[in-house]
Amino acid sequence: MEKIFALADCNNFYASCERVFDPSLEGKPIVVLSNNDGCVVARSNEAKALGIKMGAPAFQHEHIFKKHGVIVFSSNYSLYGDMSQRVMATIEQFSPGIEVYSIDEAFLNLSGMTPETSIEHARQLRAVVRRWTGIPLSIGLGQTKTLAKAANKFAKKKPEHGGVFSLVARADIDTLLENLPVGDIWGIGSRHELFLKRHGITNARQFRDASDSWIKKHMTIMGLRTAMELRGVSCIPIEKAPVPKKGIMSSRSFGRPIESLEELKEALATHVSRAAEKLRAQRSAASVLHVFILTNRFKNEPQYSNSATAILPVATAYTPDLIAHAHERLEAIYKPGYRYKKTGVFLTEFVPENIIQQNILAPEYPAERNREIMRVVDKINARWGADSIRYAAEGVQNGWQMRRERLSPHYTTVWSEIPVIKTAPIEELEKEPAQEKS
């Protein structure tokens, strides 16, 4: 049975999410900015055509935005996350095996289909996702995940194929791989790209045809695995269950400089709360907690940065305990008189939540009770929206929150911001047929 993989990738995902709820944006250049409205992190095709680069500082491109009527949005993470879940839930109905690879990408296992039926299946999937969610997809098909990734790039570059492109059983695959830059191969980073180019390997075909011994010597077994995938030998299976993370970080720059310890504590407590939610979502507990603070090195003012580590007496995912340990570490490294730009937390050294070793030198830890409390809090926040229950340590005013001056409504996650459809009064609608008859 021939293996066939598909990579479904949402086109210009953040920009597409904004267009779903405002059709007037169709055909207009759109950019989405990073935290604190700093840099461009997403662009529509129209914005790309204007030469706006990924990572471009927004303040340096204001004149381009105004000149060409570019629509600028702050990152609306709750909207994008919710739309991603809707897209992935739709895709899941079209494949017995799906791996959510990122917020806007998913691998599908279509093994058992013929090359022709897999293309038709992908076209149907693309149409259904567009109809049910409003999000456009590009879908690449290949005998391996790496080839599916490559095919997805051709799907985007070759609009005449209608957003679906297959590298399965193609007679011209050598020519196609010659047209794929080596840096565009899935798994080839910038460092290896430069190395390969120095050795005359500039495209995917050349890399595929390099000797096994040379690839393994210079790029280890991981590079050889990528080459084998390009040859049609599947080495990377579909991961149906996400691999648990080995570390979780939560941190964002402040909307304005912070000097007081109290506000730093509020911000840090918020980051700890977010990290703990992710920790519990993968059913883990953390044994080590790192805290850091830093000033803005781009400002001509006194600079300071520091970090501290807490080795927890008992591994935990209980937010109140994690906040207490984080605040203790923050107090140890905080220095007054500085304008801080960022604080954050990094949780690591995870263990399964149901296998927590007690500390004989500390009081018995109520792990099950704490897990049950957190389970209830998470369930309420999932049902009624984020921060329906939050911790007093996070504060109320939160003047340190990041700047998002161009934020679109939370169309799908906040009741008061659900779109309203306006229609004509019923009596006017009833008159229209009569007017047509007369």
Side-chain angles (χ1 to χ4, degrees):
M1 184 174 65
E2 186 174 30
K3 288 186 176 182
I4 298 180
F5 296 90
L7 176 69
D9 184 8
C10 302
N11 298 341
N12 309 315
F13 182 56
Y14 288 3
S16 295
C17 287
E18 300 291 354
R19 280 178 170 159
V20 168
F21 298 95
D22 187 354
S24 68
L25 299 175
E26 198 67 42
K28 296 179 180 179
I30 299 171
V31 298
V32 180
L33 305 182
S34 63
N35 294 345
N36 287 310
D37 294 343
C39 300
V40 174
V41 294
R43 306 158 295 162
S44 66
N45 288 334
E46 297 80 5
K48 295 175 184 177
L50 295 175
I52 300 172
K53 304 295 184 184
M54 278 288 285
F59 75 93
Q60 292 181 358
H61 289 70
E62 285 292 346
H63 64 290
I64 297 179
F65 297 161
K66 292 179 180 179
K67 180 180 178 180
H68 298 283
V70 177
I71 313 299
V72 182
F73 289 100
S74 303
S75 295
N76 191 336
Y77 297 116
S78 59
L79 173 64
Y80 309 149
D82 185 69
M83 291 300 293
S84 174
Q85 291 179 2
R86 294 167 187 243
V87 170
M88 299 308 166
T90 304
I91 292 175
E92 196 169 9
Q93 299 183 38
F94 282 76
S95 173
I98 174 176
E99 174 189 342
V100 178
Y101 181 65
S102 68
I103 191 172
D104 60 350
E105 294 177 288
F107 284 105
L108 291 79
N109 186 353
L110 303 183
S111 298
M113 295 185 181
T114 66
E116 295 76 19
T117 56
S118 66
I119 293 174
E120 182 57 33
H121 187 80
R123 287 175 177 157
Q124 292 178 4
L125 167 60
R126 188 173 185 270
V128 170
V129 170
R130 185 62 187 266
R131 184 165 64 249
W132 289 5
T133 70
I135 300 296
L137 290 181
S138 292
I139 302 177
L141 301 165
Q143 291 167 285
T144 68
K145 290 170 75 174
T146 301
L147 285 172
K149 263 277 194 180
N152 188 272
K153 292 185 179 295
F154 291 120
K156 291 183 176 180
K157 293 177 181 178
K158 298 176 178 290
E160 65 271 19
H161 290 273
V164 175
F165 194 88
S166 176
L167 287 176
V168 179
R170 289 190 70 106
D172 60 345
I173 190 168
D174 287 351
T175 302
L176 289 166
L177 292 181
E178 283 179 357
N179 292 322
L180 182 69
V182 70
D184 285 348
I185 302 173
W186 186 44
I188 301 295
S190 57
R191 184 172 61 87
H192 280 140
E193 177 187 6
L194 293 174
F195 170 80
L196 291 169
K197 286 181 176 179
R198 285 200 302 269
H199 286 79
I201 298 177
T202 61
N203 61 58
R205 181 182 180 181
Q206 291 173 328
F207 179 71
R208 180 199 68 183
D209 295 341
S211 73
D212 291 358
S213 58
W214 187 88
I215 294 175
K216 188 174 180 180
K217 176 182 177 181
H218 296 287
M219 298 179 64
T220 73
I221 193 67
M222 301 300 290
L224 181 57
R225 186 176 70 171
T226 299
M228 295 295 291
E229 287 253 321
L230 288 173
R231 297 167 191 166
V233 179
S234 178
C235 303
I236 310 174
I238 292 286
E239 298 285 352
K240 294 183 180 180
V243 178
K245 296 178 180 178
K246 296 182 179 180
I248 296 175
M249 175 177 283
S250 180
S251 173
R252 284 181 183 169
S253 296
F254 302 135
R256 58 174 174 79
I258 296 298
E259 297 185 51
S260 73
L261 177 60
E262 288 71 23
E263 285 191 290
L264 282 173
K265 281 186 170 183
E266 288 183 2
L268 183 59
T270 300
H271 294 317
V272 171
S273 178
R274 299 292 175 269
E277 287 176 2
K278 296 177 182 178
L279 185 64
R280 293 191 294 272
Q282 68 173 39
R283 301 184 180 278
S284 298
S287 301
V288 177
L289 174 150
H290 304 276
V291 169
F292 66 89
I293 51 175
L294 54 87
T295 54
N296 190 342
R297 61 188 179 90
F298 297 104
K299 295 286 187 181
N300 185 20
E301 57 189 29
Q303 298 293 318
Y304 173 69
S305 63
N306 206 343
S307 63
T309 300
I311 299 176
L312 308 181
V314 177
T316 184
Y318 187 53
T319 301
D321 284 353
L322 291 172
I323 289 176
H325 286 292
H327 281 177
E328 182 180 328
R329 295 296 88 206
L330 177 63
E331 291 172 356
I333 61 176
Y334 169 77
K335 285 186 178 181
Y338 292 94
R339 290 159 52 86
Y340 293 97
K341 176 189 179 182
K342 180 186 288 188
T343 188
V345 64
F346 180 66
L347 304 177
T348 186
E349 297 295 327
F350 298 159
V351 299
E353 66 172 5
N354 60 341
I355 309 177
I356 296 177
Q357 184 173 347
Q358 295 289 329
N359 187 333
I360 62 173
L361 300 179
E364 183 176 353
Y365 190 75
E368 183 56 39
R369 180 186 71 87
N370 291 349
R371 273 202 301 271
E372 186 59 33
I373 292 172
M374 292 294 93
R375 197 174 294 123
V376 172
V377 169
D378 292 341
K379 186 175 181 179
I380 291 173
N381 283 335
R383 174 67 179 84
W384 299 105
D387 292 333
S388 294
I389 293 182
R390 61 202 307 258
Y391 302 89
E394 297 180 56
V396 178
Q397 299 300 324
N398 297 154
W400 45 267
Q401 289 278 18
M402 65 179 178
R403 224 172 29 252
R404 291 198 288 179
E405 297 174 352
R406 298 167 175 178
L407 184 66
S408 57
H410 299 80
Y411 296 108
T412 63
T413 56
V414 178
W415 282 107
S416 60
E417 298 181 22
I418 292 177
V420 176
I421 299 175
K422 297 181 180 180
T423 64
I426 187 65
E427 55 270 16
E428 292 186 16
L429 294 175
E430 292 174 346
K431 290 179 183 177
E432 290 182 7
Q435 292 174 351
E436 290 177 1
K437 292 178 183 178
S438 60

